[in-house]
Amino acid sequence: GAGVSQSPSNKVTEKGKDVELRCDPISGHTALYWYRQRLGQGLEFLIYFQGNSAPDKSGLPSDRFSAERTGESVSTLTIQRTQQEDSAVYLCASSLGSGGTDTQYFGPGTRLTVL
Amino acid sequence: GENVEQHPSTLSVQEGDSAVIKCTYSDSASNYFPWYKQELGKGPQLIIDIRSNVGEKKDQRIAVTLNKTAKHFSLHITETQPEDSAVYFCAAALYNFNKFYFGSGTKLNVKP
């Protein structure tokens, strides 16, 4: 079946502009994660959605970052007033969310470049 | 919070040799340790995982060992092949809590 998809695959923007990144999780997966991966570094947790529960936003680096999820489907990550240090690959992952620690399936990521 | 450190950052081996990547974690409550492989331009993919109730797990050429006392775990790849070349990430999590802490990654290069 279809895996996690993300769009756009690449985004180049100017400093100060807002950007919106999209994630389509695997159908039936109730858990959804966003991570940031700076060049040559590991994955930095941003936010986690589980079903209808309040999201875990503890990883968002500033109030310029926000994310929404529509039910148990699409999620969007919004970065307002982008800064050059926001340049990174933004990865989305989904999992069954059935309890325990389910396998996360990652999308290919969106490469964001802030000029 | 949890802190995961991963070494080495780069590793180059000859095809057929073994490769070992090591990670340490700081939170003794962590009890789930997955390993991911990330190929160029793709998202990470789970290759093996281990829970704290076992010390070793093997899947063909890949094995993971865990030392809870020392708080470190390792990935072992035997008989390496060029297609094993990728970036490998370790992670630590608390089972039933879906927040993962990732290491900084190891770039493995297998020379033919």
Side-chain angles (χ1 to χ4, degrees):
Chain A
V4 177
S5 61
Q6 292 186 244
S7 60
S9 55
N10 280 286
K11 177 72 178 178
V12 180
T13 190
E14 293 179 347
K15 178 181 172 182
K17 294 281 179 69
D18 297 352
V19 295
E20 196 171 274
L21 312 180
R22 177 186 168 108
C23 172
D24 281 274
I26 293 172
S27 178
H29 280 193
T30 62
L32 186 147
Y33 307 75
W34 283 99
Y35 294 91
R36 178 169 69 180
Q37 186 177 26
R38 290 196 165 116
L39 188 65
Q41 298 187 19
L43 281 69
E44 179 186 357
F45 168 81
L46 296 178
I47 189 168
Y48 160 60
F49 295 90
Q50 171 59 64
N52 295 319
S53 302
D56 178 350
K57 303 180 181 181
S58 59
L60 295 178
S62 77
D63 58 8
R64 297 187 295 105
F65 287 72
S66 63
E68 292 184 353
R69 188 178 186 193
T70 308
E72 294 184 350
S73 59
V74 171
S75 176
T76 55
L77 176 69
T78 301
I79 309 174
Q80 295 178 310
R81 305 180 302 281
T82 52
Q83 304 294 312
Q84 288 182 332
E85 61 262 28
D86 298 335
S87 295
V89 174
Y90 289 82
L91 289 161
C92 173
S94 71
S95 69
L96 277 172
S98 60
T101 306
D102 300 312
T103 299
Q104 295 185 38
Y105 296 86
F106 283 83
T110 293
R111 181 176 297 279
L112 175 65
T113 303
V114 182
L115 302 176
Chain B
E2 174 68 279
N3 180 44
V4 178
E5 294 191 357
Q6 183 172 347
H7 301 279
S9 56
T10 58
L11 179 60
S12 192
V13 300
Q14 206 66 41
E15 182 178 358
D17 288 349
S18 295
V20 180
I21 302 170
K22 298 181 180 181
C23 288
T24 61
Y25 61 100
S26 60
D27 188 349
S28 56
S30 290
N31 52 15
Y32 176 68
F33 307 94
W35 285 89
Y36 291 83
K37 177 183 181 182
Q38 186 175 29
E39 296 174 330
L40 199 61
K42 297 182 179 179
Q45 182 178 11
L46 178 72
I47 54 171
I48 195 168
D49 57 9
I50 191 168
R51 297 183 196 172
S52 60
N53 57 346
V54 297
E56 183 174 359
K57 184 176 178 180
K58 204 171 180 181
D59 182 4
Q60 299 182 342
R61 297 186 297 108
I62 293 173
V64 57
T65 58
L66 171 66
N67 183 327
K68 284 183 62 179
T69 304
K71 290 190 285 200
H72 67 71
F73 55 112
S74 301
L75 177 71
H76 304 254
I77 307 174
T78 58
E79 300 171 26
T80 53
Q81 301 168 3
E83 51 264 39
D84 294 330
S85 296
V87 178
Y88 291 81
F89 291 97
C90 63
L94 183 61
Y95 202 72
N96 280 329
F97 289 86
N98 284 288
K99 192 165 180 178
F100 290 67
Y101 297 87
F102 284 82
S104 54
T106 296
K107 185 173 182 179
L108 174 65
N109 179 35
V110 180
K111 296 177 286 187

